[in-house]
RNA sequence: GCCUUCGUAGCUCAGAGGAUAGAGCAACCGCCUUCUAAGCGGUUGGUCGCAGGUUCGAUUCCUGCCGGAGGCACCA
């Protein structure tokens, strides 16, 4: 990295200044030298505040004095440095020789789709769990944010050399009453599809589907799940079973006991698992439509079936971190920083969610992952201490568990807040209400525009209406333009030379330099975005780069025209730049999971 | 009440111990005989919630206050 080389230059200068007595002997030469990209390019290619940081240990109060001394000890003739300046309160601004920018084009050409990737974090095995929506409803618009964040974070980590596995945790435990309630709702809808009117909790009557004969009304379950998707599932099950469970459901609805209790059991089990299967499948389809695929779908129920929940509870007890109280078994989570102890096993002998989740995280570690990332909604923040406490109580490396809380997403529709969640039946579906309208690319970009740490407001109507103003098109358009130039060059039979063949030193225009500088920044930006868990930096970078490319496009003609002939060497050098920029933009969009179109139709009447 | 988090341009949000605080959208004025105008140039827009503190330097860190959101289950 160029910054390492520059830091070395400054380090040497600092030591030299001290040895020569230009800086006091007490000067702290071990101080880390930070190089940053200045806010304004007039301040050079890189700058450092090292002189200001040395004020304390040198006892010199004027930063400019220290900076001047350091500059004196930087060799006047240097391979990399064009000039060095002292500025402001004592910044040292470094101006690099132009060729270092051109080097980026060699690297890009050489690395192609790998430009921006490193193997710096090779050896890390990361399990990234995200979305994990309850299997009682579709993937919502709110889930979309976590889906986009998790998917791109996984891409970013992989680009740093990590081995990343995406996982979805299906909360399908049998002792979960929500699954049961959900299955009952599906059953009611099933009967409705067979022709039975439904008596809703508020007393209203919902008509049944047209049927050949009169059908008795049946009751919609108390606190059942509203929403059309429930009927969709009932319809699918109805088609599969061809009415097989109709009679027994009818008996049940009428409060009659079936002749054969086994039939009833079988029916209940069937509906539970069929319902679950359909719901999970629907979730999976919605996520795939969003471009998110998981390596593993981990079922909570498997932890019970394999006895892992039991094993985990036993382990916690062996380690002395549980105690019985009031017929329940408690975890001493306060010993690990939780605000209160938590119930592991209820007085009805069923394990709690935390017991299963502890087993789940133990399972993750057992699978050999070096670190775990959970992406949860901010409404879970009270839960994190408990989870970490349970992991710590198991003797597992809790510091390797990174819980990311995404701030809430509130939904708006035409400026009005959409209140309530799935239970109110107004869930906005990721696929139907967003992707189908604005497309996957725009939806992904939209979610990744902001940091997950900021609460987001998604106005679905606005998002749809502003499709043509979504910055994603700005970025994609820049890519399409570059492709167009390359396509035209081919038509004109102008070959794109290799970086070596081209006279890159002709790239002197300020717009060319700006683009080159940005291309050079790209790998560092990827690392930063990965390390800080900040995928939104990528969308910002993409907009910046696209903006610079448009400026380049306006000011630097690549292909000669009749009115503006130009030397073939310049055309060739610019073609190399265009091709390099195209590669970087495509790589960037690739990380974002957004397509990089080679052509975009111009639309009128926008 | 306690805990977490957010408060930056009209709107949505970046930034993060440093140099003149940025972008997109919105508004207004210009630019298509052009490698695609989904573009470019220009204009308007800010006491970085308030008050202290630390620092050579704070919008950024600390404390308090005000305001918004969320969490404080033998729910998942």
């Amino acid at each position: 990295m160029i910054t390492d080389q520059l830091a070395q230059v400054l380090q040497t200068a600092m030591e030299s200044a001290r040895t020569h007595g230009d800086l006091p002997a007490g000067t702290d030469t071990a101080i880390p030298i930070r190089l940053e990209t200045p806010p304004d390019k007039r301040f050079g290619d890189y700058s450092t505040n090292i002189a200001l940081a040395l004020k304390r240990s040198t006892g010199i109060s004027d930063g400019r004095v220290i900076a001047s001394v350091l500059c004196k000890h930087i060799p006047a003739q240097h391979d990399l440095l064009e000039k060095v300046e002292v500025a402001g309160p004592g910044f040292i601004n470094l101006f690099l020789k132009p060729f270092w920018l051109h080097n980026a084009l060699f690297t890009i050409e050489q690395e192609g789709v790998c430009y921006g990737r490193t193997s710096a974090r090779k050896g890390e095995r990361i399990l990234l769990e995200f979305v994990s929506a309850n299997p009682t409803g579709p993937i919502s618009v709110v889930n979309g944010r976590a889906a986009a964040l998790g998917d791109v974070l996984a891409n970013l980590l992989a680009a740093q050399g990590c081995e990343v596995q995406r996982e979805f945790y299906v909360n399908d435990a049998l002792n979960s009453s929500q699954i049961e309630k959900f299955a009952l709702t599906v059953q009611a809808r099933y009967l409705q599809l067979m022709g039975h009117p439904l008596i809703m909790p508020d007393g209203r009557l919902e008509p049944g589907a047209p049927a050949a004969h009169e059908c008795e009304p049946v009751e919609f379950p108390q606190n059942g799940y509203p929403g059309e998707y429930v009927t969709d599932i009932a319809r699918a099950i109805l088609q599969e079973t061809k009415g097989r469970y109709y009679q027994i459901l009818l008996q049940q609805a009428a409060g009659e006991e079936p002749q054969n209790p086994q039939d009833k059991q079988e029916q209940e089990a069937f509906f539970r698992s069929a319902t679950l299967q359909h719901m999970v499948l629907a979730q999976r389809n919605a996520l795939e439509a969003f471009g998110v695929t998981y390596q593993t779908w981990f079922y909570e129920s498997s932890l019970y079936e394999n006895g892992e929940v039991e094993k985990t509870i036993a382990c916690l007890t062996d380690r002395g971190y549980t105690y019985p109280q009031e017929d329940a078994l408690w975890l001493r989570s306060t010993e690990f920083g939780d605000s209160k102890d938590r119930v592991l096993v209820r007085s009805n002998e069923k394990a709690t969610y935390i017991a299963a989740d502890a087993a789940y995280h133990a399972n993750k570690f057992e699978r050999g992952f070096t670190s775990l990332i959970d992406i949860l909604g901010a409404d879970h923040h009270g839960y994190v201490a408990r989870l970490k406490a349970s992991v710590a109580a198991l003797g597992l490396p809790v510091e390797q568990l990174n819980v990311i809380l995404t701030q809430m997403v509130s939904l708006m529709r035409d400026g009005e807040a959409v209140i309530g969640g799935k239970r109110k039946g107004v869930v906005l579906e990721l696929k139907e209400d967003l992707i189908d309208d604005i497309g996957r690319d725009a939806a992904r970009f939209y979610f990744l525009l902001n940091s997950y740490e900021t609460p987001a407001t998604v106005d679905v109507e606005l998002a749809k209406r502003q499709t043509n103003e979504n910055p994603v098109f700005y970025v994609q358009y820049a890519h399409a333009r570059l492709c167009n130039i390359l396509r035209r060059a081919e038509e004109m039979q102008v070959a794109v030379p290799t970086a070596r063949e081209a006279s890159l030193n002709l790239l002197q225009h300020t717009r060319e330099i700006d683009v080159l500088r940005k291309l050079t920044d790209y790998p560092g930006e990827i690392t930063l975005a990965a390390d800080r868990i900040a995928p939104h930096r990528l969308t910002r970078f993409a907009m910046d780069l696209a903006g610079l490319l448009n400026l380049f496009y306006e000011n630097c003609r690549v292909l000669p025209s009749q009115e503006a002939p130009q030397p073939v060497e310049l055309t060739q050098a610019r073609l190399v730049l265009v091709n390099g920029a195209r590669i970087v933009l495509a790589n960037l969009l690739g990380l974002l999971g957004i397509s990089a179109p080679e052509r975009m139709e111009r639309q009128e009447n926008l």
Side-chain angles (χ1 to χ4, degrees):
Chain A
M1 287 289 255
I2 186 107
T3 47
D4 297 333
Q5 296 176 47
L6 294 174
Q8 192 52 53
V9 171
L10 289 158
Q11 183 72 40
T12 313
M14 190 159 61
E15 279 160 13
S16 157
R18 192 177 60 165
T19 353
H20 288 82
D22 291 346
L23 286 178
T27 304
D28 177 14
T29 52
I31 199 164
I33 298 174
R34 279 185 37 218
L35 283 155
E36 46 194 38
T37 313
D40 192 312
K41 60 189 173 197
R42 290 196 328 252
F43 300 142
D45 297 301
Y46 288 98
S47 75
T48 179
N49 64 348
I50 184 68
L52 296 160
L54 283 173
K55 277 186 181 184
R56 189 180 291 273
S57 66
T58 56
I60 301 171
S61 62
D62 188 349
R64 296 186 62 97
V65 170
I66 304 171
S68 312
V69 169
L70 288 174
C71 287
K72 248 175 46 193
H73 286 269
I74 294 172
Q77 300 291 318
H78 194 276
D79 295 350
L80 285 172
L81 292 168
E82 180 83 25
K83 64 171 173 172
V84 177
E85 275 179 7
V86 176
F91 292 103
I92 299 175
N93 294 338
L94 306 166
F95 295 78
L96 296 170
K97 293 189 172 161
F99 79 87
W100 78 279
L101 282 172
H102 301 141
N103 277 343
L105 293 175
F106 286 94
T107 314
I108 294 167
E109 182 179 287
Q110 210 166 46
E111 299 182 0
V113 291
C114 292
Y115 181 67
R117 306 181 80 89
T118 81
S119 51
R121 292 173 68 174
K122 197 169 193 292
E124 281 188 51
R125 294 193 65 217
I126 300 176
L127 184 75
L128 180 56
E129 183 212 330
F130 60 109
V131 181
S132 300
N134 282 334
T136 52
I139 298 297
S140 68
V141 170
V142 173
N143 291 326
R145 186 188 210 189
L149 173 69
D151 191 49
V152 176
L153 178 58
N155 288 342
L156 272 172
L157 292 169
Q160 294 299 298
C162 304
E163 188 188 319
V164 188
Q165 186 169 321
R166 295 167 173 81
E167 183 157 288
F168 190 110
Y169 185 49
V170 183
N171 298 137
D172 67 330
L174 285 178
N175 56 1
S176 139
S177 54
Q178 56 167 2
I179 301 270
E180 205 170 315
K181 196 152 284 164
F182 188 52
L184 286 175
T185 314
V186 172
Q187 291 177 13
R189 292 296 184 190
Y190 183 102
L191 288 173
Q192 186 182 26
L193 289 169
M194 294 298 287
H196 296 265
L198 286 187
I199 307 164
M200 303 308 284
D202 59 5
R204 269 180 321 112
L205 203 66
E206 261 192 29
H213 52 91
E214 184 97 353
C215 294
E216 286 294 309
V218 293
E219 277 195 36
F220 188 84
Q222 286 295 318
N223 299 317
Y225 288 81
E228 267 178 56
Y229 64 93
V230 186
T231 307
D232 294 341
I233 290 176
R235 190 175 294 117
I237 292 179
L238 180 59
Q239 272 167 14
E240 280 162 29
T241 58
K242 300 185 167 60
R244 180 149 51 99
Y245 292 101
Y246 180 48
Q247 285 307 325
I248 189 160
L249 282 181
L250 212 51
Q251 282 179 352
Q252 205 176 309
E256 293 167 23
E257 281 302 309
Q259 291 95 336
N260 189 346
Q262 264 184 347
D263 288 352
K264 187 179 176 212
Q265 262 180 14
E266 194 228 303
Q267 167 266 319
E268 278 175 357
F270 171 81
F271 267 87
R272 240 191 343 246
S273 87
T275 294
L276 185 76
Q277 258 177 41
H278 279 97
M279 197 69 251
V280 172
L281 186 68
Q283 291 185 332
R284 196 168 176 151
N285 288 338
L287 287 163
E288 272 172 19
F290 197 45
V292 180
T293 52
Y294 289 88
Q295 280 76 53
T296 37
W297 288 72
F298 194 101
Y299 285 75
E300 183 185 2
S301 56
S302 72
L303 294 166
Y304 287 93
E305 285 156 17
N306 302 338
E308 288 179 65
V309 176
E310 222 172 317
K311 205 177 80 189
T312 301
I313 295 168
C315 175
L316 289 167
T317 302
D318 286 348
R319 294 174 61 86
Y321 295 122
T322 67
Y323 61 92
Q325 187 181 307
E326 292 168 4
D327 296 333
L329 187 70
W330 293 71
L331 174 69
R332 293 185 200 279
S333 51
T334 45
E335 291 199 17
F336 299 93
D338 198 4
S339 56
K340 57 193 275 193
D341 287 345
R342 307 290 172 173
V343 171
L344 276 178
V345 182
R346 289 174 269 221
S347 47
N348 65 8
E349 294 186 356
K350 287 184 175 180
T352 57
Y353 186 77
I354 181 66
D357 216 14
Y360 177 40
H361 283 80
N363 178 293
K364 289 180 181 179
F365 278 116
E366 273 163 32
R367 280 185 272 159
F369 292 101
T370 54
S371 67
L372 313 179
I373 301 176
D374 292 6
I375 298 180
L376 303 177
D379 52 342
H380 285 74
H381 103 256
Y383 179 75
V384 177
R386 197 178 319 177
L387 174 63
K388 289 195 167 172
S390 71
V391 169
L394 283 166
L396 296 166
V398 68
E399 67 284 355
Q400 295 303 320
L401 168 62
N402 190 357
V403 180
I404 295 172
L405 292 177
T406 66
Q407 284 303 309
M408 303 304 285
V409 178
S410 49
L411 291 176
M412 308 275 283
R413 191 158 230 169
D414 273 331
E416 302 249 331
V418 177
I419 318 154
K422 285 167 204 177
R423 283 162 202 281
K424 293 241 160 69
V426 289
V427 59
L428 292 179
E429 298 190 27
L430 178 63
K431 187 168 183 305
E432 260 99 84
D433 295 311
L434 197 64
I435 302 177
D436 288 353
D437 275 306
I438 71 174
R440 163 182 151 177
D441 288 345
R444 286 182 81 112
F445 205 87
Y446 192 81
F447 281 123
L448 292 168
L449 226 31
N450 304 134
S451 153
Y452 65 85
E453 290 170 298
T454 329
T457 311
V458 176
D459 189 318
V460 181
E461 295 307 316
L462 207 65
K464 287 181 198 170
R465 232 181 291 134
Q466 291 188 336
T467 292
N468 290 316
E469 283 141 18
N470 190 313
V472 73
F473 295 101
Y474 184 78
V475 175
Q476 290 181 319
Y477 183 60
H479 181 266
R481 269 182 155 175
L482 297 178
C483 291
N484 198 48
I485 294 175
L486 294 170
R487 200 159 44 232
R488 287 293 296 264
E490 202 175 333
E491 284 166 18
M492 293 167 72
Q493 307 200 326
V494 183
V496 181
T498 63
R500 188 168 298 285
E501 290 163 347
S503 315
L504 296 179
N505 57 337
L506 294 174
L507 300 175
Q508 299 284 354
H509 193 283
T510 168
R511 299 310 182 195
E512 293 167 335
I513 299 293
D514 288 346
V515 170
L516 281 167
R517 196 187 307 271
K518 200 71 184 167
L519 298 182
T520 311
D521 286 345
Y522 178 69
E525 187 64 22
I526 301 303
T527 303
L528 205 60
D531 290 351
R532 294 202 190 164
I533 309 189
H536 70 279
R537 295 188 73 103
L538 299 185
T539 52
R540 303 272 159 179
F541 189 91
M543 284 190 280
D544 288 349
L545 178 55
L548 294 173
L549 285 168
N550 281 325
L551 288 173
F552 162 74
Y553 185 89
E554 294 292 327
N555 291 286
C556 306
R557 223 192 136 80
V558 177
L559 300 173
S561 67
Q562 287 194 331
E563 303 86 58
Q566 64 183 27
V568 66
E569 289 80 13
L570 182 60
T571 294
Q572 290 183 324
R574 285 182 171 165
L575 280 172
V576 173
L577 177 63
V578 164
N579 195 42
R582 196 212 88 228
I583 291 170
V584 173
L585 209 44
N587 289 357
L588 183 50
L589 287 168
L591 283 176
L592 288 166
I594 291 171
S595 66
E598 295 186 3
R599 232 182 255 274
M600 281 173 87
E601 297 308 316
R602 179 177 165 184
Q603 282 176 22
E604 303 297 337
N605 307 321
L606 286 176

